[in-house]
Amino acid sequence: MFFVWSQKRINVKLAFWGPVDSGKTTVVHALAAQVAQRVDDVDVPERDTRQAVGMRRNALPVEVDEPDTRFTTYFCHPPGEIGEFSGYPVHYQCKTPEQPLEGNLALEKVLDGISAVIFVADAARERQGANEEALRDLVARLSQRYQVDAGSTSALVEQLFGADGPLRLVLLANKVDLDSAVSGEDVRRGLMLPSWVEVVESVATGERGVFEAFTAAAQAMRPLLEQAQQRGRIPS
Ligand SMILES: Nc1nc2c(ncn2[C@@H]2O[C@H](COP(=O)(O)OP(=O)(O)OP(=O)(O)O)[C@@H](O)[C@H]2O)c(=O)[nH]1
Ligand SMILES: [Mg+2]
């Protein structure tokens, strides 16, 4: 996260990660629709005030499709509590890598400077192995970046995402509408994620669960914002 001094706002980054085809891009689009709806619900004086102080309006997700860098990115400033910290607006940059993943530099790019990951797992029973593989890959990449000690995936999850870790994690169990879907709790247990990892069940195609998971991630990041403020990276 960083503080944009010229605009007196906070920027935080979130990665939407998960196995191929779990619904990551659909989730980002559903989030945009949900945020847009909530922004419209905000009463007009507040919206005018926000525009008057130069806050960017909520854009739509954009797909960047360059030969070596393919990802979807979405920038938003949600209304309400998660849209503010210590009197400053909080803007969220959401990114997810796109296919084909081979040679896609965005796999690393989406992890640059993030504060949290929303892990979009596929609830379909037959995709549980793919979820595990994607989590292992994510944890391996983050372990290198944050130089946490080698260990089991569970141990690394604790070091990366636990109370003293640099990042936060929310598990989204997507596609729970499928006949073959297992519950969010079953997805969590299958991934051997500890009980403190928040799980949200979703149907991204119906926009269900998506804003809840985003809110959970935003709330989970608050202590990181507090730490940043204590270190002087965000003014008091
Ligand atoms: N039944 C069901 N289908 C879904 C849901 N979410 C996404 N899908 C479908 O799953 C397929 C893959 O969705 P994407 O959003 O492209 O998934 P992705 O994870 O971005 O895929 P890649 O970027 O190719 O790895 C699409 O056909 C979506 O319509 C859901 O909650 N339920
Ligand atoms: Mg995608």
Side-chain angles (χ1 to χ4, degrees):
M1 76 194 58
F2 57 95
F3 190 75
V4 185
W5 287 91
S6 59
Q7 295 178 34
K8 299 222 176 338
R9 64 174 160 85
I10 298 161
N11 258 33
V12 293
K13 292 188 184 178
L14 271 139
F16 289 71
W17 198 273
V20 167
D21 204 45
S22 66
K24 302 177 295 296
T25 305
T26 309
V27 166
V28 172
H29 283 267
L31 174 64
Q34 291 276 308
V35 170
Q37 191 186 324
R38 282 163 173 81
V39 171
D40 284 344
D41 289 346
V42 169
D43 62 344
V44 173
E46 186 183 330
R47 196 169 54 205
D48 288 351
T49 308
R50 287 204 269 117
Q51 284 176 8
V53 297
M55 285 177 206
R56 288 246 304 257
R57 293 180 36 222
N58 293 296
L60 290 171
V62 175
E63 186 171 341
V64 176
D65 187 11
E66 287 164 11
D68 57 352
T69 317
R70 298 173 291 276
F71 61 98
T72 292
T73 179
Y74 168 58
F75 194 71
C76 71
H77 172 234
E81 205 186 323
I82 58 170
E84 199 191 297
F85 175 80
S86 197
Y88 300 111
V90 183
H91 288 214
Y92 296 83
Q93 177 101 55
C94 304
K95 286 196 174 137
T96 188
E98 296 295 350
Q99 305 287 336
L101 297 181
E102 200 178 346
N104 187 357
L105 301 178
L107 281 172
E108 286 299 328
K109 198 177 162 79
V110 303
L111 299 177
D112 279 341
I114 54 167
S115 297
V117 176
I118 294 186
F119 188 87
V120 184
D122 194 324
R125 186 177 300 279
E126 64 276 14
R127 296 295 289 160
Q128 299 314 298
N131 290 339
E132 271 175 56
E133 186 53 45
L135 182 66
R136 247 198 315 271
D137 176 48
L138 169 70
V139 164
R141 288 172 190 273
L142 293 174
S143 301
Q144 277 204 334
R145 284 173 177 257
Y146 292 92
Q147 294 168 345
V148 300
D149 294 338
S152 65
T153 299
S154 307
L156 294 171
V157 162
E158 181 74 42
Q159 292 177 71
L160 290 166
F161 302 109
D164 298 328
L167 304 169
R168 294 297 177 262
L169 175 68
V170 169
L171 173 62
L172 196 63
N174 191 40
K175 304 197 185 185
V176 291
D177 58 317
L178 294 178
D179 287 343
S180 70
V182 299
S183 71
E185 268 307 302
D186 283 348
V187 173
R188 188 179 62 70
R189 275 195 292 268
L191 291 172
M192 290 191 286
L193 290 172
S195 53
W196 49 258
V197 174
E198 189 158 349
V199 191
V200 181
E201 292 187 346
S202 67
V203 181
T205 39
E207 293 177 19
R208 175 185 149 198
V210 170
F211 193 77
E212 290 74 0
F214 177 70
T215 304
Q219 295 288 10
M221 282 186 264
R222 306 292 279 192
L224 300 179
L225 291 173
E226 281 158 18
Q227 285 169 22
Q229 193 171 46
Q230 279 156 17
R231 288 196 223 103
R233 291 179 54 209
I234 296 172
S236 300

